[in-house]
Amino acid sequence: MGTPEFAVETLKALVEKEYNVVAVVTQPDKPVGRHQTEMQPSEVKKYALAHGLPVLQPEKMKDPHFVEQLRSYEANLQVVVAFRMLPEVVWAMPEYGTFNVHAALLPQYRGAAPINWAVINGETQTGVTTFFLDHDIDTGRIIMKKTFDIPDEADVEYVYDGLMHLGAEICLETIEAIIAADGHPDTIAQEESLSTVNCQLSTSEALKPAPKIFKETCEIDWTKTAKQVYDFVRGLSPYPGAWTTLVTPDGKETILKIYKTKKTDKAGKGQGAISIDGKALYVSASDKMLEIVELQLAGKKRMTARDFLNGMKQIENSRVK
């Protein structure tokens, strides 16, 4: 059960390992195009159809027709990767239960956007976790974890790709463990798996959430430190992209997406102040300046700061807010 490209890697691993994948469940096709007349299948559906796998696309997971259809396949086990919350009638159906591959080291970063938030928060390590589904989202008993290091210069695309492949690996290992234990592998409650450091804190303080990201979530707050803004930008790059508002001397405002920045030791000149040094573009956060490396003006293509400066007049008297 899955929808985006992230889930395809796990499905591919199951197929290539010659597990008997009896059916694939994914989201219904979405309307796309200018007039919303074309229907776009999910990446998981595309892969499933290319490999002759039956595809189910329920609008509602509790739909009796879907539940009966799913039951008819008599699956021993269900694997969920980047899908949606399942009702008990679905996750409790197979004899070996249902497990999820989550792109974080649970119980940290429960929620819809764990990869983005780990980078935004400046984590140096994340990973993948498999756990059995239960009544609450992302809270079931942990089966396995695998860690993944986040280099300081890495953006979310790098981490996404790494966890996508690691997720496929941990899925295969989890299935082998479930089979070997006849459906009852060793598991651990999520709170018990917290590190010793986190255990000294209250649960609410220790746990970092990973809520869904919306457009307003992506606005840069220049009152933050340069390091915080640097992590924020790479945690949203290349998609959906961190943005700010460029204000020119005549008061005109334009949305500016920022895809890549570089930390500096230059002292700030006031939050949101823009500085130019040769062909380099800088913006001040609350403490230091950040060099802007790649950006995109509304309606334009993504470009280097050098190209941006070549086409912009009076930029030094502009600011961001």
Side-chain angles (χ1 to χ4, degrees), residues 2-21:
T3 297
E5 176 198 20
F6 191 91
V8 175
E9 193 66 26
T10 299
L11 176 57
K12 180 170 173 274
L14 292 171
V15 169
E16 291 180 355
K17 197 75 172 175
E18 298 186 347
Y19 279 106
N20 183 17
V21 181

Side-chain angles (χ1 to χ4, degrees), residues 253-288:
E253 297 188 355
T254 314
I255 296 296
L256 188 69
K257 277 195 172 183
I258 298 178
Y259 293 99
K260 189 174 182 181
T261 65
K262 193 184 291 183
K263 289 178 286 186
T264 77
D265 289 325
K266 296 176 182 286
K269 295 185 177 180
Q271 292 157 15
I274 291 176
S275 305
I276 298 168
D277 184 0
K279 290 293 183 181
L281 174 65
Y282 300 91
V283 176
S284 293
S286 65
D287 55 349
K288 296 177 182 177

Side-chain angles (χ1 to χ4, degrees), residues 245-255 297-298 300 312 317-321:
T245 304
L246 176 68
V247 185
T248 53
D250 58 5
K252 186 179 176 184
E253 297 188 355
T254 314
I255 296 296
L297 269 173
K300 304 288 185 181
M312 284 291 289
N317 297 318
S318 302
R319 62 185 176 85
V320 293
K321 67 170 190 178

